[in-house]
Amino acid sequence: MFKITPKLHEKIQHFARFPQTGVSLRQMVLFGQKPSQASLFKASQFLHEELPIRLAHRVKDLEELPRYLSEMPSILKVKDWYAQSFQELIELPPPRLSREMKEKLKHASKNASQTIPPCVPNPANVHLARPHLEARLMTLPIGHRYFNPVEDIRCSPEVLTYTDSFVKTIEGVKRRHDPVVTTVAQGILEYKEHRKPQVVDTEVEKFLDRFYMSRIGIRMLIGQHSTLYRGPFRQDYVGVICTKTSIREIAQDAIANARYICEEHYGLFKAPEVKMFCPGDIEFMYVPSHLNHMIFELLKNSLRAVVERYGSDYEDDYPPIKLVIAHGKEDITIKISDEGGGIPRSSLPDVWAYMYTTAERQELEPEFNKSEFKAPMAGFGYGLPISRLYARYFGGDLKLISMEGYGTDAYLHLNRLSNSDEPLIM
Ligand code: ADP
Ligand code: MG
C-alpha cells in the first residue's frame, strides 16, 4: 500500500512552490515535427522537471479543499495517485548526457538557432526562477532550450535507455490516472449529498476547473511524448496533433455517433437530423480527439433537448439541428443550434457546474470505466464544463445562448493561431 511519508510530503510542498511551465500547441508541433533521439531526449528532460511540479501543485490543491471534502476516501485515493506518480518521477535519475553527446547537441542548437521561428521561446517562461533546477539549466531560457528543433543526431545507447525507461514511467503514470475523473466526481457527489447545497459551490467549481484543466495538460504532454517516441507515425500528424484536422470529417463522425447513441437511448428509429453547413474543406492544426469530444457532447445535448421537447412519437418531424462552421482569420467557430426549447435564463450559470444535470443521474462506475470518461446520452453533468475546458486549453472558448421556449445556440470557438499559452491556473 502506498503511503505519503512526511519526507515525501515535504518534497511535494517544495516542488509545489515552483511555477508550472506552459507549452502551446504551436510549440508542440514545431518541436515534434522531426522527432530525433536528441529532441526526444530534451523533451524527457523537460518533462522530468515539469511533470513533478504539476503533480505537486495538484496534491497541494487537493489538500486545500474544504476539510470535509479533502478527507473523502475517494479524494484521498486520488491524492495518493498524484503523490505516487510524483515519487516515481523524482526517483527516476535525471537525464544526463555523455560529454560527446553534449558537444553534438550544443553544436546542433547553435546551428538551429538561426532558423528558430520567433514564436518558439515562450516569453512568459523566460524569467521563471526555479533555483533547484537552475543548476541543471544552461543559459538559454526554458522554452527555448527544450522546444528547439535540433537536427537529428545519432545517440549513444545511454541516451536510448534513459528515454525508454522514462517513457515507460510516464505511460504508467497516465494509466494510473485514468480513473481520476470518475473518482473525483464520486467524492464531490458524496460531498454535495452531505451538504445538500442549494447553490453552486463556487470554490469547489473553481477547484474542479483547475484540476481537470491540469489533467488535460498533463495527459497531453505525456500522450504527445509517448506517441512521438513510439509512433504510430501517421502522415499529417505530430504526435497526437493533426496539422490538417478536417472539421467536416470530425463533425460527420460526431454527428453519426451522437445520433446513434440518441437512437439507442430513446429507442428511436431515427434521431433528429443534423444539417451541416461547412464552407469548403477547412483544415487546421488541432487534436482531433478533443474536437470530436466537444462536438459530440454538444450534439448529444441538442438531440436530447429536441427529443424530450417533442416526444418520441414525433420522429419524422423533429426540427433539424444546425451545425454551422465559420472560418475566420483568428477563430474557427462551430455553432450548434437546436429547437429544443432552450434553457431558462436563471439556470444558465448552473449548466457549467460539474454534475449539474436535468437528466436522470447516471451511476458512476470508475472500475468499469477506466480508460477515459465516456458519458452516455446524458446524466453526468460533465459534458459542458469539460468541453469548455478542452476549448480553452488551446485558447478557444465555449458559450451558450438560449431562447427559452425556442432553442439553444452553442458557440464553440477554436483559436486558429494556436500559439496561445497553455492556461495554467496556479
Ligand atoms: P448532461 O448532458 O449530462 O446533463 P451537460 O453538462 O452536457 O450534462 O449539460 C448540463 C445540462 O444543461 C443538461 O442536463 C441540460 O439541462 C442543459 N442543457 C445543455 N445543453 C442544452 C440544450 N442544447 N438545450 C437544453 N438544455 C441544455
Ligand atoms: Mg450532456
Side-chain angles (χ1 to χ4, degrees), residues 297-298 300-306 338 340-343 350-353 356-359 375-385 400 407-410:
E297 287 299 329
L298 293 174
K300 278 193 306 172
N301 285 351
S302 289
L303 288 166
R304 174 182 164 223
V306 170
D338 66 58
I343 303 163
D350 297 345
V351 302
W352 299 107
Y356 171 86
T357 180
T358 51
M377 189 64 199
F380 280 117
Y382 264 68
L384 287 176
L400 283 195
T408 306
D409 288 347

PDB file of all heavy atoms in Angstrom, residues 297-298 300-306 338 340-343 350-353 356-359 375-385 400 407-410, ligand 1:
ATOM      1  N   GLU A 297     -20.398  16.041 -27.487  1.00  0.00           N
ATOM      2  CA  GLU A 297     -21.129  16.411 -26.274  1.00  0.00           C
ATOM      3  C   GLU A 297     -22.212  17.450 -26.579  1.00  0.00           C
ATOM      4  O   GLU A 297     -23.339  17.356 -26.070  1.00  0.00           O
ATOM      5  CB  GLU A 297     -20.166  16.964 -25.208  1.00  0.00           C
ATOM      6  CG  GLU A 297     -19.283  15.906 -24.553  1.00  0.00           C
ATOM      7  CD  GLU A 297     -20.075  14.826 -23.810  1.00  0.00           C
ATOM      8  OE1 GLU A 297     -21.165  15.128 -23.298  1.00  0.00           O
ATOM      9  OE2 GLU A 297     -19.603  13.672 -23.753  1.00  0.00           O
ATOM     10  N   LEU A 298     -21.881  18.436 -27.400  1.00  0.00           N
ATOM     11  CA  LEU A 298     -22.868  19.474 -27.720  1.00  0.00           C
ATOM     12  C   LEU A 298     -24.040  18.886 -28.498  1.00  0.00           C
ATOM     13  O   LEU A 298     -25.200  19.214 -28.249  1.00  0.00           O
ATOM     14  CB  LEU A 298     -22.216  20.604 -28.517  1.00  0.00           C
ATOM     15  CG  LEU A 298     -21.182  21.430 -27.733  1.00  0.00           C
ATOM     16  CD1 LEU A 298     -20.484  22.424 -28.645  1.00  0.00           C
ATOM     17  CD2 LEU A 298     -21.857  22.167 -26.569  1.00  0.00           C
ATOM     18  N   LYS A 300     -25.131  15.792 -28.440  1.00  0.00           N
ATOM     19  CA  LYS A 300     -25.975  14.953 -27.571  1.00  0.00           C
ATOM     20  C   LYS A 300     -26.946  15.826 -26.781  1.00  0.00           C
ATOM     21  O   LYS A 300     -28.121  15.486 -26.625  1.00  0.00           O
ATOM     22  CB  LYS A 300     -25.103  14.149 -26.596  1.00  0.00           C
ATOM     23  CG  LYS A 300     -24.525  12.880 -27.190  1.00  0.00           C
ATOM     24  CD  LYS A 300     -23.936  11.980 -26.116  1.00  0.00           C
ATOM     25  CE  LYS A 300     -22.934  12.728 -25.272  1.00  0.00           C
ATOM     26  NZ  LYS A 300     -22.430  12.060 -24.118  1.00  0.00           N
ATOM     27  N   ASN A 301     -26.448  16.956 -26.295  1.00  0.00           N
ATOM     28  CA  ASN A 301     -27.330  17.850 -25.546  1.00  0.00           C
ATOM     29  C   ASN A 301     -28.476  18.348 -26.419  1.00  0.00           C
ATOM     30  O   ASN A 301     -29.635  18.389 -25.993  1.00  0.00           O
ATOM     31  CB  ASN A 301     -26.543  19.052 -25.007  1.00  0.00           C
ATOM     32  CG  ASN A 301     -25.670  18.675 -23.816  1.00  0.00           C
ATOM     33  OD1 ASN A 301     -25.769  17.577 -23.298  1.00  0.00           O
ATOM     34  ND2 ASN A 301     -24.826  19.593 -23.397  1.00  0.00           N
ATOM     35  N   SER A 302     -28.134  18.738 -27.659  1.00  0.00           N
ATOM     36  CA  SER A 302     -29.165  19.259 -28.557  1.00  0.00           C
ATOM     37  C   SER A 302     -30.164  18.170 -28.934  1.00  0.00           C
ATOM     38  O   SER A 302     -31.382  18.398 -28.951  1.00  0.00           O
ATOM     39  CB  SER A 302     -28.525  19.823 -29.827  1.00  0.00           C
ATOM     40  OG  SER A 302     -27.855  21.019 -29.520  1.00  0.00           O
ATOM     41  N   LEU A 303     -29.657  16.991 -29.224  1.00  0.00           N
ATOM     42  CA  LEU A 303     -30.552  15.883 -29.598  1.00  0.00           C
ATOM     43  C   LEU A 303     -31.508  15.575 -28.451  1.00  0.00           C
ATOM     44  O   LEU A 303     -32.709  15.394 -28.648  1.00  0.00           O
ATOM     45  CB  LEU A 303     -29.722  14.633 -29.940  1.00  0.00           C
ATOM     46  CG  LEU A 303     -28.949  14.682 -31.265  1.00  0.00           C
ATOM     47  CD1 LEU A 303     -27.914  13.572 -31.332  1.00  0.00           C
ATOM     48  CD2 LEU A 303     -29.925  14.559 -32.445  1.00  0.00           C
ATOM     49  N   ARG A 304     -30.948  15.549 -27.252  1.00  0.00           N
ATOM     50  CA  ARG A 304     -31.787  15.244 -26.091  1.00  0.00           C
ATOM     51  C   ARG A 304     -32.882  16.311 -25.927  1.00  0.00           C
ATOM     52  O   ARG A 304     -34.062  15.985 -25.713  1.00  0.00           O
ATOM     53  CB  ARG A 304     -30.920  15.198 -24.833  1.00  0.00           C
ATOM     54  CG  ARG A 304     -31.735  15.045 -23.584  1.00  0.00           C
ATOM     55  CD  ARG A 304     -30.915  15.048 -22.305  1.00  0.00           C
ATOM     56  NE  ARG A 304     -31.804  15.281 -21.188  1.00  0.00           N
ATOM     57  CZ  ARG A 304     -31.545  16.090 -20.166  1.00  0.00           C
ATOM     58  NH1 ARG A 304     -30.389  16.729 -20.102  1.00  0.00           N
ATOM     59  NH2 ARG A 304     -32.431  16.247 -19.212  1.00  0.00           N
ATOM     60  N   ALA A 305     -32.465  17.586 -26.060  1.00  0.00           N
ATOM     61  CA  ALA A 305     -33.439  18.669 -25.871  1.00  0.00           C
ATOM     62  C   ALA A 305     -34.575  18.535 -26.883  1.00  0.00           C
ATOM     63  O   ALA A 305     -35.758  18.661 -26.535  1.00  0.00           O
ATOM     64  CB  ALA A 305     -32.739  20.015 -25.996  1.00  0.00           C
ATOM     65  N   VAL A 306     -34.217  18.243 -28.144  1.00  0.00           N
ATOM     66  CA  VAL A 306     -35.249  18.150 -29.186  1.00  0.00           C
ATOM     67  C   VAL A 306     -36.162  16.940 -28.930  1.00  0.00           C
ATOM     68  O   VAL A 306     -37.398  17.074 -28.949  1.00  0.00           O
ATOM     69  CB  VAL A 306     -34.588  18.050 -30.585  1.00  0.00           C
ATOM     70  CG1 VAL A 306     -35.619  17.713 -31.649  1.00  0.00           C
ATOM     71  CG2 VAL A 306     -33.876  19.343 -30.924  1.00  0.00           C
ATOM     72  N   ASP A 338     -30.215  24.318 -31.866  1.00  0.00           N
ATOM     73  CA  ASP A 338     -31.340  23.385 -31.818  1.00  0.00           C
ATOM     74  C   ASP A 338     -32.627  24.126 -31.481  1.00  0.00           C
ATOM     75  O   ASP A 338     -32.598  25.272 -31.053  1.00  0.00           O
ATOM     76  CB  ASP A 338     -31.064  22.266 -30.792  1.00  0.00           C
ATOM     77  CG  ASP A 338     -30.994  22.772 -29.361  1.00  0.00           C
ATOM     78  OD1 ASP A 338     -31.973  23.377 -28.865  1.00  0.00           O
ATOM     79  OD2 ASP A 338     -29.930  22.571 -28.716  1.00  0.00           O
ATOM     80  N   GLY A 340     -34.771  22.911 -29.233  1.00  0.00           N
ATOM     81  CA  GLY A 340     -35.165  22.011 -28.151  1.00  0.00           C
ATOM     82  C   GLY A 340     -35.781  22.723 -26.951  1.00  0.00           C
ATOM     83  O   GLY A 340     -35.851  22.140 -25.873  1.00  0.00           O
ATOM     84  N   GLY A 341     -36.179  23.977 -27.143  1.00  0.00           N
ATOM     85  CA  GLY A 341     -36.897  24.662 -26.051  1.00  0.00           C
ATOM     86  C   GLY A 341     -36.017  25.555 -25.184  1.00  0.00           C
ATOM     87  O   GLY A 341     -36.517  26.321 -24.366  1.00  0.00           O
ATOM     88  N   GLY A 342     -34.686  25.470 -25.364  1.00  0.00           N
ATOM     89  CA  GLY A 342     -33.800  26.380 -24.634  1.00  0.00           C
ATOM     90  C   GLY A 342     -33.666  26.056 -23.159  1.00  0.00           C
ATOM     91  O   GLY A 342     -34.158  25.042 -22.664  1.00  0.00           O
ATOM     92  N   ILE A 343     -32.983  26.970 -22.463  1.00  0.00           N
ATOM     93  CA  ILE A 343     -32.697  26.795 -21.045  1.00  0.00           C
ATOM     94  C   ILE A 343     -33.177  28.070 -20.353  1.00  0.00           C
ATOM     95  O   ILE A 343     -32.897  29.167 -20.843  1.00  0.00           O
ATOM     96  CB  ILE A 343     -31.168  26.648 -20.827  1.00  0.00           C
ATOM     97  CG1 ILE A 343     -30.613  25.471 -21.655  1.00  0.00           C
ATOM     98  CG2 ILE A 343     -30.810  26.490 -19.359  1.00  0.00           C
ATOM     99  CD1 ILE A 343     -29.111  25.487 -21.836  1.00  0.00           C
ATOM    100  N   ASP A 350     -25.897  27.552 -14.035  1.00  0.00           N
ATOM    101  CA  ASP A 350     -25.785  26.201 -13.467  1.00  0.00           C
ATOM    102  C   ASP A 350     -25.269  25.167 -14.459  1.00  0.00           C
ATOM    103  O   ASP A 350     -24.626  24.207 -14.068  1.00  0.00           O
ATOM    104  CB  ASP A 350     -27.153  25.702 -12.969  1.00  0.00           C
ATOM    105  CG  ASP A 350     -27.694  26.563 -11.854  1.00  0.00           C
ATOM    106  OD1 ASP A 350     -26.899  27.350 -11.295  1.00  0.00           O
ATOM    107  OD2 ASP A 350     -28.894  26.462 -11.547  1.00  0.00           O
ATOM    108  N   VAL A 351     -25.573  25.370 -15.741  1.00  0.00           N
ATOM    109  CA  VAL A 351     -25.213  24.318 -16.696  1.00  0.00           C
ATOM    110  C   VAL A 351     -23.701  24.126 -16.782  1.00  0.00           C
ATOM    111  O   VAL A 351     -23.222  23.082 -17.210  1.00  0.00           O
ATOM    112  CB  VAL A 351     -25.779  24.543 -18.127  1.00  0.00           C
ATOM    113  CG1 VAL A 351     -27.285  24.660 -18.102  1.00  0.00           C
ATOM    114  CG2 VAL A 351     -25.134  25.723 -18.812  1.00  0.00           C
ATOM    115  N   TRP A 352     -22.944  25.129 -16.331  1.00  0.00           N
ATOM    116  CA  TRP A 352     -21.476  24.998 -16.357  1.00  0.00           C
ATOM    117  C   TRP A 352     -20.947  24.324 -15.102  1.00  0.00           C
ATOM    118  O   TRP A 352     -19.753  24.068 -14.982  1.00  0.00           O
ATOM    119  CB  TRP A 352     -20.822  26.375 -16.526  1.00  0.00           C
ATOM    120  CG  TRP A 352     -21.244  27.002 -17.809  1.00  0.00           C
ATOM    121  CD1 TRP A 352     -22.111  28.046 -17.967  1.00  0.00           C
ATOM    122  CD2 TRP A 352     -20.869  26.591 -19.125  1.00  0.00           C
ATOM    123  NE1 TRP A 352     -22.288  28.313 -19.301  1.00  0.00           N
ATOM    124  CE2 TRP A 352     -21.534  27.438 -20.040  1.00  0.00           C
ATOM    125  CE3 TRP A 352     -20.030  25.590 -19.640  1.00  0.00           C
ATOM    126  CZ2 TRP A 352     -21.399  27.317 -21.420  1.00  0.00           C
ATOM    127  CZ3 TRP A 352     -19.879  25.475 -21.007  1.00  0.00           C
ATOM    128  CH2 TRP A 352     -20.567  26.337 -21.884  1.00  0.00           C
ATOM    129  N   ALA A 353     -21.845  24.068 -14.157  1.00  0.00           N
ATOM    130  CA  ALA A 353     -21.397  23.422 -12.919  1.00  0.00           C
ATOM    131  C   ALA A 353     -21.209  21.930 -13.168  1.00  0.00           C
ATOM    132  O   ALA A 353     -21.992  21.310 -13.894  1.00  0.00           O
ATOM    133  CB  ALA A 353     -22.422  23.645 -11.820  1.00  0.00           C
ATOM    134  N   TYR A 356     -24.068  19.150 -12.704  1.00  0.00           N
ATOM    135  CA  TYR A 356     -25.420  19.681 -12.848  1.00  0.00           C
ATOM    136  C   TYR A 356     -26.054  18.989 -14.044  1.00  0.00           C
ATOM    137  O   TYR A 356     -25.506  19.027 -15.156  1.00  0.00           O
ATOM    138  CB  TYR A 356     -25.403  21.200 -13.081  1.00  0.00           C
ATOM    139  CG  TYR A 356     -26.776  21.733 -13.460  1.00  0.00           C
ATOM    140  CD1 TYR A 356     -27.698  22.076 -12.478  1.00  0.00           C
ATOM    141  CD2 TYR A 356     -27.149  21.852 -14.807  1.00  0.00           C
ATOM    142  CE1 TYR A 356     -28.960  22.535 -12.830  1.00  0.00           C
ATOM    143  CE2 TYR A 356     -28.413  22.300 -15.160  1.00  0.00           C
ATOM    144  CZ  TYR A 356     -29.306  22.641 -14.163  1.00  0.00           C
ATOM    145  OH  TYR A 356     -30.563  23.080 -14.500  1.00  0.00           O
ATOM    146  N   THR A 357     -27.177  18.364 -13.806  1.00  0.00           N
ATOM    147  CA  THR A 357     -27.865  17.725 -14.926  1.00  0.00           C
ATOM    148  C   THR A 357     -29.362  17.739 -14.667  1.00  0.00           C
ATOM    149  O   THR A 357     -29.792  17.682 -13.515  1.00  0.00           O
ATOM    150  CB  THR A 357     -27.379  16.264 -15.130  1.00  0.00           C
ATOM    151  OG1 THR A 357     -28.072  15.684 -16.235  1.00  0.00           O
ATOM    152  CG2 THR A 357     -27.603  15.382 -13.903  1.00  0.00           C
ATOM    153  N   THR A 358     -30.136  17.844 -15.743  1.00  0.00           N
ATOM    154  CA  THR A 358     -31.577  17.721 -15.581  1.00  0.00           C
ATOM    155  C   THR A 358     -32.019  16.338 -16.057  1.00  0.00           C
ATOM    156  O   THR A 358     -33.204  16.049 -16.116  1.00  0.00           O
ATOM    157  CB  THR A 358     -32.317  18.816 -16.378  1.00  0.00           C
ATOM    158  OG1 THR A 358     -31.816  18.803 -17.723  1.00  0.00           O
ATOM    159  CG2 THR A 358     -32.096  20.190 -15.770  1.00  0.00           C
ATOM    160  N   ALA A 359     -31.029  15.513 -16.416  1.00  0.00           N
ATOM    161  CA  ALA A 359     -31.361  14.140 -16.810  1.00  0.00           C
ATOM    162  C   ALA A 359     -31.289  13.255 -15.572  1.00  0.00           C
ATOM    163  O   ALA A 359     -30.781  13.672 -14.541  1.00  0.00           O
ATOM    164  CB  ALA A 359     -30.375  13.658 -17.861  1.00  0.00           C
ATOM    165  N   ALA A 375     -19.210   9.611 -21.389  1.00  0.00           N
ATOM    166  CA  ALA A 375     -20.564   9.777 -20.895  1.00  0.00           C
ATOM    167  C   ALA A 375     -21.551   9.126 -21.844  1.00  0.00           C
ATOM    168  O   ALA A 375     -21.346   9.160 -23.058  1.00  0.00           O
ATOM    169  CB  ALA A 375     -20.871  11.248 -20.757  1.00  0.00           C
ATOM    170  N   PRO A 376     -22.607   8.547 -21.325  1.00  0.00           N
ATOM    171  CA  PRO A 376     -23.662   8.102 -22.238  1.00  0.00           C
ATOM    172  C   PRO A 376     -24.501   9.308 -22.674  1.00  0.00           C
ATOM    173  O   PRO A 376     -24.011  10.421 -22.629  1.00  0.00           O
ATOM    174  CB  PRO A 376     -24.459   7.144 -21.366  1.00  0.00           C
ATOM    175  CG  PRO A 376     -24.209   7.571 -19.966  1.00  0.00           C
ATOM    176  CD  PRO A 376     -22.881   8.255 -19.955  1.00  0.00           C
ATOM    177  N   MET A 377     -25.736   9.091 -23.069  1.00  0.00           N
ATOM    178  CA  MET A 377     -26.544  10.193 -23.610  1.00  0.00           C
ATOM    179  C   MET A 377     -26.483  11.450 -22.731  1.00  0.00           C
ATOM    180  O   MET A 377     -26.192  12.535 -23.199  1.00  0.00           O
ATOM    181  CB  MET A 377     -27.993   9.706 -23.774  1.00  0.00           C
ATOM    182  CG  MET A 377     -28.879  10.668 -24.519  1.00  0.00           C
ATOM    183  SD  MET A 377     -28.301  10.854 -26.223  1.00  0.00           S
ATOM    184  CE  MET A 377     -29.099  12.385 -26.679  1.00  0.00           C
ATOM    185  N   ALA A 378     -26.745  11.298 -21.474  1.00  0.00           N
ATOM    186  CA  ALA A 378     -26.714  12.443 -20.545  1.00  0.00           C
ATOM    187  C   ALA A 378     -26.772  11.891 -19.127  1.00  0.00           C
ATOM    188  O   ALA A 378     -26.993  10.697 -18.935  1.00  0.00           O
ATOM    189  CB  ALA A 378     -27.908  13.353 -20.793  1.00  0.00           C
ATOM    190  N   GLY A 379     -26.554  12.750 -18.156  1.00  0.00           N
ATOM    191  CA  GLY A 379     -26.754  12.308 -16.786  1.00  0.00           C
ATOM    192  C   GLY A 379     -25.546  12.415 -15.872  1.00  0.00           C
ATOM    193  O   GLY A 379     -25.651  12.128 -14.686  1.00  0.00           O
ATOM    194  N   PHE A 380     -24.385  12.836 -16.420  1.00  0.00           N
ATOM    195  CA  PHE A 380     -23.238  13.061 -15.551  1.00  0.00           C
ATOM    196  C   PHE A 380     -23.080  14.539 -15.218  1.00  0.00           C
ATOM    197  O   PHE A 380     -22.475  14.903 -14.219  1.00  0.00           O
ATOM    198  CB  PHE A 380     -21.945  12.589 -16.216  1.00  0.00           C
ATOM    199  CG  PHE A 380     -21.736  11.107 -16.125  1.00  0.00           C
ATOM    200  CD1 PHE A 380     -21.691  10.334 -17.265  1.00  0.00           C
ATOM    201  CD2 PHE A 380     -21.583  10.495 -14.894  1.00  0.00           C
ATOM    202  CE1 PHE A 380     -21.502   8.965 -17.182  1.00  0.00           C
ATOM    203  CE2 PHE A 380     -21.399   9.132 -14.807  1.00  0.00           C
ATOM    204  CZ  PHE A 380     -21.360   8.365 -15.957  1.00  0.00           C
ATOM    205  N   GLY A 381     -23.593  15.377 -16.113  1.00  0.00           N
ATOM    206  CA  GLY A 381     -23.397  16.803 -15.899  1.00  0.00           C
ATOM    207  C   GLY A 381     -21.958  17.214 -16.099  1.00  0.00           C
ATOM    208  O   GLY A 381     -21.494  18.197 -15.539  1.00  0.00           O
ATOM    209  N   TYR A 382     -21.233  16.459 -16.932  1.00  0.00           N
ATOM    210  CA  TYR A 382     -19.834  16.779 -17.197  1.00  0.00           C
ATOM    211  C   TYR A 382     -19.612  17.273 -18.627  1.00  0.00           C
ATOM    212  O   TYR A 382     -18.551  17.752 -18.960  1.00  0.00           O
ATOM    213  CB  TYR A 382     -18.952  15.541 -16.971  1.00  0.00           C
ATOM    214  CG  TYR A 382     -18.336  15.511 -15.601  1.00  0.00           C
ATOM    215  CD1 TYR A 382     -19.125  15.321 -14.481  1.00  0.00           C
ATOM    216  CD2 TYR A 382     -16.976  15.715 -15.424  1.00  0.00           C
ATOM    217  CE1 TYR A 382     -18.565  15.309 -13.215  1.00  0.00           C
ATOM    218  CE2 TYR A 382     -16.409  15.702 -14.158  1.00  0.00           C
ATOM    219  CZ  TYR A 382     -17.209  15.502 -13.065  1.00  0.00           C
ATOM    220  OH  TYR A 382     -16.660  15.502 -11.818  1.00  0.00           O
ATOM    221  N   GLY A 383     -20.634  17.083 -19.468  1.00  0.00           N
ATOM    222  CA  GLY A 383     -20.460  17.375 -20.899  1.00  0.00           C
ATOM    223  C   GLY A 383     -20.026  18.806 -21.154  1.00  0.00           C
ATOM    224  O   GLY A 383     -19.000  19.051 -21.794  1.00  0.00           O
ATOM    225  N   LEU A 384     -20.796  19.766 -20.648  1.00  0.00           N
ATOM    226  CA  LEU A 384     -20.482  21.166 -20.936  1.00  0.00           C
ATOM    227  C   LEU A 384     -19.205  21.649 -20.252  1.00  0.00           C
ATOM    228  O   LEU A 384     -18.331  22.196 -20.919  1.00  0.00           O
ATOM    229  CB  LEU A 384     -21.673  22.065 -20.569  1.00  0.00           C
ATOM    230  CG  LEU A 384     -22.871  21.975 -21.510  1.00  0.00           C
ATOM    231  CD1 LEU A 384     -24.029  22.822 -20.999  1.00  0.00           C
ATOM    232  CD2 LEU A 384     -22.492  22.416 -22.917  1.00  0.00           C
ATOM    233  N   PRO A 385     -19.079  21.479 -18.933  1.00  0.00           N
ATOM    234  CA  PRO A 385     -17.852  22.028 -18.322  1.00  0.00           C
ATOM    235  C   PRO A 385     -16.562  21.423 -18.863  1.00  0.00           C
ATOM    236  O   PRO A 385     -15.593  22.146 -19.097  1.00  0.00           O
ATOM    237  CB  PRO A 385     -18.010  21.741 -16.821  1.00  0.00           C
ATOM    238  CG  PRO A 385     -19.161  20.834 -16.673  1.00  0.00           C
ATOM    239  CD  PRO A 385     -19.991  20.945 -17.907  1.00  0.00           C
ATOM    240  N   LEU A 400     -22.895  29.457 -24.497  1.00  0.00           N
ATOM    241  CA  LEU A 400     -24.272  29.054 -24.811  1.00  0.00           C
ATOM    242  C   LEU A 400     -25.163  30.278 -24.803  1.00  0.00           C
ATOM    243  O   LEU A 400     -25.041  31.129 -23.923  1.00  0.00           O
ATOM    244  CB  LEU A 400     -24.827  28.108 -23.747  1.00  0.00           C
ATOM    245  CG  LEU A 400     -24.420  26.638 -23.705  1.00  0.00           C
ATOM    246  CD1 LEU A 400     -25.398  25.882 -22.813  1.00  0.00           C
ATOM    247  CD2 LEU A 400     -24.402  26.018 -25.089  1.00  0.00           C
ATOM    248  N   GLY A 407     -35.089  27.518 -28.353  1.00  0.00           N
ATOM    249  CA  GLY A 407     -33.943  26.610 -28.505  1.00  0.00           C
ATOM    250  C   GLY A 407     -32.643  27.210 -27.992  1.00  0.00           C
ATOM    251  O   GLY A 407     -32.626  28.289 -27.416  1.00  0.00           O
ATOM    252  N   THR A 408     -31.571  26.478 -28.238  1.00  0.00           N
ATOM    253  CA  THR A 408     -30.260  26.878 -27.725  1.00  0.00           C
ATOM    254  C   THR A 408     -29.245  26.943 -28.854  1.00  0.00           C
ATOM    255  O   THR A 408     -29.274  26.116 -29.761  1.00  0.00           O
ATOM    256  CB  THR A 408     -29.766  25.833 -26.691  1.00  0.00           C
ATOM    257  OG1 THR A 408     -30.770  25.667 -25.706  1.00  0.00           O
ATOM    258  CG2 THR A 408     -28.468  26.263 -26.024  1.00  0.00           C
ATOM    259  N   ASP A 409     -28.353  27.933 -28.777  1.00  0.00           N
ATOM    260  CA  ASP A 409     -27.205  28.004 -29.680  1.00  0.00           C
ATOM    261  C   ASP A 409     -25.943  27.815 -28.862  1.00  0.00           C
ATOM    262  O   ASP A 409     -25.728  28.531 -27.880  1.00  0.00           O
ATOM    263  CB  ASP A 409     -27.106  29.391 -30.346  1.00  0.00           C
ATOM    264  CG  ASP A 409     -28.190  29.608 -31.380  1.00  0.00           C
ATOM    265  OD1 ASP A 409     -28.841  28.614 -31.749  1.00  0.00           O
ATOM    266  OD2 ASP A 409     -28.389  30.760 -31.789  1.00  0.00           O
ATOM    267  N   ALA A 410     -25.127  26.869 -29.265  1.00  0.00           N
ATOM    268  CA  ALA A 410     -23.821  26.706 -28.613  1.00  0.00           C
ATOM    269  C   ALA A 410     -22.764  27.203 -29.579  1.00  0.00           C
ATOM    270  O   ALA A 410     -22.778  26.855 -30.759  1.00  0.00           O
ATOM    271  CB  ALA A 410     -23.581  25.242 -28.278  1.00  0.00           C
TER     272      ALA A 410
HETATM  273  P1  ADP B   1     -25.674  16.250 -19.046  1.00  0.00           P
HETATM  274  O1  ADP B   1     -25.910  16.260 -20.515  1.00  0.00           O
HETATM  275  O2  ADP B   1     -25.039  15.003 -18.546  1.00  0.00           O
HETATM  276  O3  ADP B   1     -26.906  16.616 -18.266  1.00  0.00           O
HETATM  277  P2  ADP B   1     -24.178  18.644 -19.632  1.00  0.00           P
HETATM  278  O4  ADP B   1     -23.075  19.333 -18.912  1.00  0.00           O
HETATM  279  O5  ADP B   1     -23.925  18.218 -21.016  1.00  0.00           O
HETATM  280  O6  ADP B   1     -24.600  17.407 -18.735  1.00  0.00           O
HETATM  281  O7  ADP B   1     -25.456  19.594 -19.618  1.00  0.00           O
HETATM  282  C1  ADP B   1     -25.948  20.089 -18.399  1.00  0.00           C
HETATM  283  C2  ADP B   1     -27.405  20.478 -18.513  1.00  0.00           C
HETATM  284  O8  ADP B   1     -27.524  21.635 -19.342  1.00  0.00           O
HETATM  285  C3  ADP B   1     -28.307  19.461 -19.142  1.00  0.00           C
HETATM  286  O9  ADP B   1     -28.745  18.489 -18.211  1.00  0.00           O
HETATM  287  C4  ADP B   1     -29.453  20.332 -19.637  1.00  0.00           C
HETATM  288  O10 ADP B   1     -30.344  20.629 -18.579  1.00  0.00           O
HETATM  289  C5  ADP B   1     -28.779  21.642 -20.005  1.00  0.00           C
HETATM  290  N1  ADP B   1     -28.532  21.750 -21.454  1.00  0.00           N
HETATM  291  C6  ADP B   1     -27.344  21.607 -22.075  1.00  0.00           C
HETATM  292  N2  ADP B   1     -27.470  21.766 -23.409  1.00  0.00           N
HETATM  293  C7  ADP B   1     -28.776  22.021 -23.650  1.00  0.00           C
HETATM  294  C8  ADP B   1     -29.545  22.282 -24.839  1.00  0.00           C
HETATM  295  N3  ADP B   1     -28.989  22.310 -26.060  1.00  0.00           N
HETATM  296  N4  ADP B   1     -30.872  22.508 -24.680  1.00  0.00           N
HETATM  297  C9  ADP B   1     -31.445  22.490 -23.458  1.00  0.00           C
HETATM  298  N5  ADP B   1     -30.774  22.249 -22.315  1.00  0.00           N
HETATM  299  C10 ADP B   1     -29.466  22.015 -22.393  1.00  0.00           C
END
